[in-house]
Amino acid sequence: MKKIFSILLILVLCMLTGCQLLLDMPSQVDSAISTDGKLVVSFIDVGQGDSAFIEFPGGKTALIDAGEAEAAQAVVSYLSSRGCEKIDYVICTHPHSDHIGGMVQVLSSFAVGEIYMPRAVHTSKTYEKLLLATQAKGLKIHTAKAGVTIQADPAVTVDVVAPVSDGYEEMNDYSAVLHITYGEHSFLLTGDAEKVSEKEMLASGQNLQADVLKVGHHGSSTSSHKKFLEAVAPTYGVISCDGNNEYGHPHDKIVKRLDEYGATIYRTDLHGTVMFVSDGAELEIITEEEEYAVYS
C-alpha cells in the first residue's frame, strides 16, 4: 500500500506542477534494496531481448547480456540506479543482437573486470563492434563453457553448465548457461539454449535444479522440453520478452507447461524488471508492479 500511495502522490504532484514523470521511477524505488549479505538477481526489462544483473553478497557484480543496442541506455540507467560503478564479470551468452547489442555502450559506461563468452563466431556488425569494444577496453575474453566456475563470491557458487560441446548447428545452443547457488536458493540462467543443449546438460549429470529459471529463448517452443523442466523443477520461471513481438514469444504451450510443473511465471512484458533478493534462506520478489516476500 505504501508503494501504491507513493506512486499516486508522485502522479498528483506531477499534474499540479506540470512536470514530466520519469520513466526510470521503478529503478529509483529499487535502489533502496540493500545488497548487504544478500544475493540480488534482477531480470531487466529490455523488451525483446535478455539482460540480467547480479549483485553478490560481498559487493561484486555481474551482467549477463544487455539486450538490443536500443536497450543499452535502459541497462546503463538500471545499473547506475543500483549504485554500480564497476561490473566485475560480464557474460555474453551468445552473439545474437538481442543479447549483445547493448553491451558496447555498457562497456564504455563502466569499469569492467572480466568478460566471458562462448566460442561462437558470428559475422554480424553487432558482434564485430562488441569484439572491438572488448579490445579497446583491454579485456581478454575468457571462454564460457561447461566446467568453468566463476569465483565471484565465497558464499555463492557460480557454475557454467553449458555449452557442453563446441559445435552446434543452431547458434542458440552455444548459449552460456549459469547455475548460481546461495544458501537454500538457486538460479538457472539459460540464455537462448534450445533442446540440443538442454539434452546435453541432462546427459552431463550436472546439478540443474533451480528455484528460479530464466526460461530459455524467451519462452519459445524450441526450449524448455519436459525432461529438462523435470530436472530443473523451478518454483519460478522468468520470461524476458516484448509484448506482441513478431515471434509469438512466449509460446502458449511453454506457458502451459510451466504452469503444469507448478512454476509461477514472471514476464518482463507484463511485470517489467523483476528482482529476486535472497539472504540464503528467505526469497523476496520485487517487480515494478508489486512486492511481497516468499518463504522457502
Side-chain angles (χ1 to χ4, degrees), residues 35 39-44 51-56 59-65 75 78-89 110 189 274-276:
T35 60
L39 175 70
V40 181
V41 181
S42 299
F43 298 93
I44 306 172
S51 185
F53 181 54
I54 303 171
E55 300 164 81
F56 295 96
K60 289 188 176 182
T61 61
L63 179 68
I64 305 174
D65 291 338
V75 176
Y78 184 79
L79 269 59
S80 297
S81 78
R82 296 293 304 146
C84 178
E85 297 180 353
K86 178 183 179 181
I87 307 171
D88 295 285
Y89 306 95
F110 297 94
L189 286 73
V274 183
M275 176 189 285
F276 291 83

Side-chain angles (χ1 to χ4, degrees), residues 192-271:
D192 278 358
E194 298 187 352
K195 292 179 182 178
V196 169
S197 179
E198 290 178 351
K199 290 178 180 178
E200 286 186 343
M201 282 186 269
L202 289 174
S204 71
Q206 300 175 99
N207 177 26
L208 302 177
Q209 190 283 320
D211 302 287
V212 181
L213 170 67
K214 201 295 295 182
V215 179
H217 199 190
H218 319 286
S220 168
S221 59
T222 60
S223 304
S224 303
H225 74 281
K226 291 182 178 181
K227 288 186 178 180
F228 183 73
L229 288 182
E230 286 176 3
V232 179
T235 304
Y236 307 100
V238 179
I239 299 174
S240 183
C241 65
D242 189 21
N244 300 316
N245 62 83
E246 62 181 301
Y247 310 103
H249 297 158
H251 291 158
D252 290 342
K253 76 174 186 178
I254 298 302
V255 172
K256 181 179 179 181
R257 186 175 296 166
L258 286 163
D259 183 62
E260 289 174 347
Y261 281 94
T264 299
I265 300 172
Y266 290 92
R267 294 170 47 165
T268 58
D269 62 329
L270 301 179
H271 299 97

Side-chain angles (χ1 to χ4, degrees), residues 13-285:
L13 289 174
C14 284
M15 288 188 289
L16 291 175
T17 61
C19 69
Q20 291 183 339
L21 184 64
L22 296 176
L23 293 178
D24 61 348
M25 182 177 65
S27 295
Q28 294 171 350
V29 173
D30 292 343
S31 66
I33 303 299
S34 171
T35 60
D36 186 25
K38 296 178 180 178
L39 175 70
V40 181
V41 181
S42 299
F43 298 93
I44 306 172
D45 181 9
V46 291
Q48 187 62 24
D50 263 18
S51 185
F53 181 54
I54 303 171
E55 300 164 81
F56 295 96
K60 289 188 176 182
T61 61
L63 179 68
I64 305 174
D65 291 338
E68 294 276 7
E70 54 265 31
Q73 189 54 52
V75 176
V76 170
S77 295
Y78 184 79
L79 269 59
S80 297
S81 78
R82 296 293 304 146
C84 178
E85 297 180 353
K86 178 183 179 181
I87 307 171
D88 295 285
Y89 306 95
V90 165
I91 298 98
C92 299
T93 60
H94 64 295
H96 282 158
S97 64
D98 59 328
H99 291 253
I100 65 168
M103 198 62 79
V104 172
Q105 184 174 332
V106 170
L107 291 180
S108 68
S109 301
F110 297 94
V112 175
E114 299 178 6
I115 185 167
Y116 288 79
M117 299 170 61
R119 289 188 179 276
V121 178
H122 203 284
T123 58
S124 69
K125 285 291 185 181
T126 301
Y127 183 61
E128 180 182 343
K129 288 179 181 178
L130 174 59
L131 293 180
L132 290 173
T134 300
Q135 183 179 26
K137 201 78 172 179
L139 296 170
K140 176 185 177 182
I141 298 175
H142 300 279
T143 301
K145 62 180 180 179
V148 170
T149 297
I150 299 175
Q151 304 289 346
D153 192 293
V156 183
T157 301
V158 183
D159 292 324
V160 182
V161 295
V164 175
S165 303
D166 56 9
Y168 298 98
E169 292 184 7
E170 296 294 334
M171 182 64 70
N172 286 340
D173 282 318
Y174 281 97
S175 289
V177 177
L178 272 67
H179 187 271
I180 302 169
T181 304
Y182 180 47
E184 299 177 10
H185 298 132
S186 52
F187 299 75
L188 188 66
L189 286 73
T190 61
D192 278 358
E194 298 187 352
K195 292 179 182 178
V196 169
S197 179
E198 290 178 351
K199 290 178 180 178
E200 286 186 343
M201 282 186 269
L202 289 174
S204 71
Q206 300 175 99
N207 177 26
L208 302 177
Q209 190 283 320
D211 302 287
V212 181
L213 170 67
K214 201 295 295 182
V215 179
H217 199 190
H218 319 286
S220 168
S221 59
T222 60
S223 304
S224 303
H225 74 281
K226 291 182 178 181
K227 288 186 178 180
F228 183 73
L229 288 182
E230 286 176 3
V232 179
T235 304
Y236 307 100
V238 179
I239 299 174
S240 183
C241 65
D242 189 21
N244 300 316
N245 62 83
E246 62 181 301
Y247 310 103
H249 297 158
H251 291 158
D252 290 342
K253 76 174 186 178
I254 298 302
V255 172
K256 181 179 179 181
R257 186 175 296 166
L258 286 163
D259 183 62
E260 289 174 347
Y261 281 94
T264 299
I265 300 172
Y266 290 92
R267 294 170 47 165
T268 58
D269 62 329
L270 301 179
H271 299 97
T273 295
V274 183
M275 176 189 285
F276 291 83
V277 183
S278 170
D279 62 4
E282 179 182 319
L283 187 64
E284 184 179 9
I285 307 165

